[in-house]
Amino acid sequence: MGVRLRAGLSVVLLAGFFVLLVGLIGGLAGLAIYALATGRLAGIKLVAIAGVAIFAIGGALYKVLKQRSEPHGAVITRAEQPALWQMIDELAVVANTRGPDEIRLVPEVNAAVWEDSRLLGLRPGRRYMEIGLPLLAGMTVGELRAVLGHELGHYSHGHTKYAAVTYRASATMAHTVERLEGPIGWLFGLYMKLYFVVARSANRAQELQADVLAVRAAGKTAARTALGKIPAMALAWGHFNRSYVGMVPHAGRTPQLLMGFHSYLTNDTRRRQLAEVQGEMLDTEPASKYDSHPPIRVRIATVDQMAEPDKASDTRPAWALLVRPDQAIPRLESQLLINDLGPRASWEEIVRLAGAQIAENNAGVLAEIAKQTGVSRTGSLADVLTAVEQGKGELLAAQVLEDDLSRQELAEAVPDVLTSLVADTISSTLIRAGRAHFQLDWSGPKLLRLDGGAALDLLELVRPAMDDPRQMPVLREWIARTNVFPAGEEPTVVTAPVSPKWT
């Protein structure tokens, strides 16, 4: 079945859903009026059923139709970035289509196009293209050409004309079925499943159709490598945000997102990890008849079978397309940030500041729970270690853990919590004494480095004693030998406001 035929059939099924609904409501209303006019009690039931159906449809229509697609992200103007716009203009010619009217940078591992069309797609609307910031950081110019060529392929084949309408109608269908109950809900639920099977089949065919433009724009090699990168890059972007961007609020500084992610991806350890996971992700990617995209391994195989000739790929980093990236990137990134995070700073400074603040906060948390539980009057680390040695570790850790953990979950979490809090208390003490500092590690995310230059893995040192309190003398001996508390152990002193939560 051809792409247009599948798309046309899905539109027919979509329209049929609402025709059936109108027919159902009309039929119920007619029977209700007849029953009431003849004085039959069944009319009351039919009125109630019709009322529920009308309420369900009306509520779903209102919920969906009040939502409008709005562009988001940072605007990339033609005047500021002529090289990027020129490339997209060239790709639009290759795709034989009108290019986007507006380009935006978005904080997602994705690229997309959409059109604010009117009159069921008969009246063209303003065209938008979204380019994910992670793509600029992790792809080459050739790979980005393939990705954007694919997106312009959706324009050239008319995939975006009815997309907004079908999206809203599909959402209305789903909301309506959610509200319908009983046999009517079951019947329309089956119809909805049939529609989505056909519609998603059309969507998958459209993706393969657009992949032809990706190859035509950049060649098979670039299209293949771009497709293969995306799943692992999405995984990496999530980890980068959790492990590195998550530290930013603690530093009070604005990060270099694009260049930071580029450094993360090009780190030898991360590059090896991503190479190992990329093949596994492609091989184990699930497939469903309800998926809007074919599995990437299928798309790559289809690309390999195309008759289009390969091309030499531009291997420059994608952000090389930006004019004056040292100025353009900070401006664009500032538009993506929700709040003002403070002065712009290097990742080295952010990790140093954030690491110290997190350690100090956690040291304060440990001291506070030690006093709250009565294991120490001062909250000193010595008293905490004694309490753990006496089997009171769970009492301490439970103060910062969720209340609904099972016994097994609690037993597994206690050593983790204690290890982190004790290690951070030692880190904070060394940092405040000017004897250590946190250092950026793109395979880390951070290292505690003594001022003498040696890296110190406190988690590895502390963990054995938290797992088995009988190992506590070893930890105590290390603390004494390292002279962590040179003037005799002092209570934890927190110089900054302490968050009540363990970080």
Side-chain angles (χ1 to χ4, degrees):
M1 187 183 297
V3 179
R4 291 184 180 276
L5 183 57
R6 295 185 198 187
L9 180 57
S10 69
V11 171
V12 171
L13 286 173
L14 189 60
F17 180 85
F18 294 98
V19 170
L20 288 175
L21 278 178
V22 171
L24 173 66
I25 293 173
L28 289 174
L31 288 173
I33 293 171
Y34 173 77
L36 289 173
T38 56
R40 298 181 181 180
L41 293 177
I44 299 176
K45 293 183 179 180
L46 290 171
V47 169
I49 293 172
V52 169
I54 294 171
F55 176 78
I57 297 168
L61 283 171
Y62 173 77
K63 186 173 182 178
V64 174
L65 293 178
K66 74 175 182 178
Q67 300 174 352
R68 292 196 60 84
S69 298
E70 296 291 341
H72 69 291
V75 178
I76 303 176
T77 66
R78 185 181 291 274
E80 291 177 332
Q81 297 302 329
L84 178 62
W85 271 92
Q86 181 181 354
M87 184 187 78
I88 293 171
D89 289 340
E90 292 172 359
L91 295 178
V93 172
V94 172
N96 192 28
T97 188
R98 177 169 64 91
D101 300 297
E102 192 171 298
I103 301 174
R104 289 181 175 248
L105 185 70
V106 295
E108 297 123 26
V109 183
N110 189 33
V113 291
W114 57 285
E115 184 172 355
D116 191 12
S117 59
R118 297 288 190 274
L119 298 177
L120 297 178
L122 296 176
R123 181 180 174 184
R126 187 171 180 82
R127 288 184 167 185
Y128 297 90
M129 172 178 279
E130 297 173 355
I131 303 174
L133 179 147
L135 302 186
L136 292 177
M139 287 190 166
T140 66
V141 171
E143 291 163 350
L144 185 64
R145 283 181 63 91
V147 170
L148 300 185
H150 169 96
E151 296 304 326
L152 290 168
H154 286 306
Y155 280 147
S156 67
H157 289 293
H159 301 161
T160 59
K161 285 185 177 180
Y162 308 102
V165 176
T166 55
Y167 169 76
R168 287 174 178 272
S170 300
T172 303
M173 180 189 297
H175 286 303
T176 302
V177 171
E178 285 178 4
R179 290 168 175 257
L180 294 173
E181 298 179 354
I184 294 176
W186 177 80
L187 177 63
F188 279 92
L190 287 179
Y191 190 99
M192 182 180 70
K193 288 182 178 180
L194 173 62
Y195 163 74
F196 278 115
V197 167
V198 175
R200 294 298 180 254
S201 173
N203 294 149
R204 293 193 296 273
Q206 289 172 347
E207 294 300 321
L208 294 176
Q209 198 174 43
D211 281 341
V212 175
L213 271 299
V215 173
R216 195 171 297 165
K220 289 185 178 181
T221 300
R224 187 190 304 112
T225 56
L227 283 168
K229 274 186 176 182
I230 289 175
M233 191 181 295
L235 183 69
W237 179 245
H239 183 264
F240 172 76
N241 275 276
R242 291 190 301 273
S243 299
Y244 294 90
V245 181
M247 288 192 286
V248 166
H250 301 284
R253 298 290 188 273
T254 298
Q256 301 169 338
L257 289 175
L258 190 153
M259 299 310 298
F261 189 51
H262 177 72
S263 297
Y264 173 99
L265 292 173
T266 54
N267 173 267
D268 288 341
T269 299
R270 298 301 187 194
R271 186 160 45 195
R272 184 174 62 254
Q273 291 171 340
L274 291 173
E276 292 172 354
V277 78
Q278 180 171 311
E280 181 181 348
M281 293 183 73
L282 296 181
D283 291 339
T284 60
E285 184 182 7
S288 168
K289 59 186 176 182
Y290 297 111
D291 289 339
S292 61
H293 287 62
I296 287 180
R297 61 183 180 275
V298 172
R299 295 175 67 183
I300 291 176
T302 304
V303 165
D304 289 337
Q305 295 170 5
M306 290 181 187
E308 293 284 341
D310 202 358
K311 298 179 180 180
S313 184
D314 189 336
T315 58
R316 291 177 298 158
W319 49 265
L321 289 167
L322 299 179
V323 177
R324 301 292 299 272
D326 57 326
Q327 297 179 10
I329 293 172
R331 185 191 68 78
L332 292 169
E333 289 180 347
S334 66
Q335 296 181 47
L336 299 180
L337 298 173
I338 298 174
N339 299 314
D340 182 13
L341 299 175
R344 193 169 179 84
S346 67
W347 278 103
E348 287 79 5
E349 181 180 356
I350 287 173
V351 168
R352 179 176 56 81
L353 294 174
Q357 200 278 335
I358 291 171
E360 186 169 353
N361 180 80
N362 286 348
V365 169
L366 182 60
E368 188 62 30
I369 62 177
K371 290 185 285 187
Q372 288 177 358
T373 54
V375 305
S376 173
R377 288 189 304 103
T378 63
S380 70
L381 180 60
D383 290 342
V384 168
L385 298 182
T386 299
V388 174
E389 203 169 12
Q390 294 172 347
K392 299 178 181 178
E394 183 177 312
L395 174 65
L396 291 167
Q399 307 305 308
V400 295
L401 290 170
E402 300 293 336
D403 296 332
D404 58 352
L405 295 180
S406 67
R407 289 301 307 172
Q408 181 178 350
E409 291 171 332
L410 181 62
E412 293 173 352
V414 165
D416 292 335
V417 172
L418 293 175
T419 298
S420 179
L421 292 177
V422 170
D424 279 343
T425 299
I426 298 173
S427 298
S428 181
T429 302
L430 292 172
I431 291 170
R432 283 189 280 108
R435 298 175 57 197
H437 63 277
F438 278 106
Q439 178 180 315
L440 171 67
D441 179 12
W442 287 118
S443 61
K446 63 183 187 295
L447 289 172
L448 182 68
R449 190 170 293 280
L450 295 173
D451 282 354
L456 187 60
D457 190 343
L458 283 175
L459 296 178
E460 183 178 350
L461 288 164
V462 171
R463 181 69 193 224
M466 302 302 112
D467 281 333
D468 182 4
R470 291 174 297 181
Q471 300 296 320
M472 193 65 71
V474 178
L475 178 59
R476 290 183 187 277
E477 191 274 334
W478 178 86
I479 290 174
R481 186 175 70 251
T482 311
N483 203 22
V484 173
F485 305 104
E489 178 158 33
E490 301 292 337
T492 301
V493 179
V494 180
T495 58
V498 175
S499 166
K501 294 184 178 181
W502 162 51
T503 302

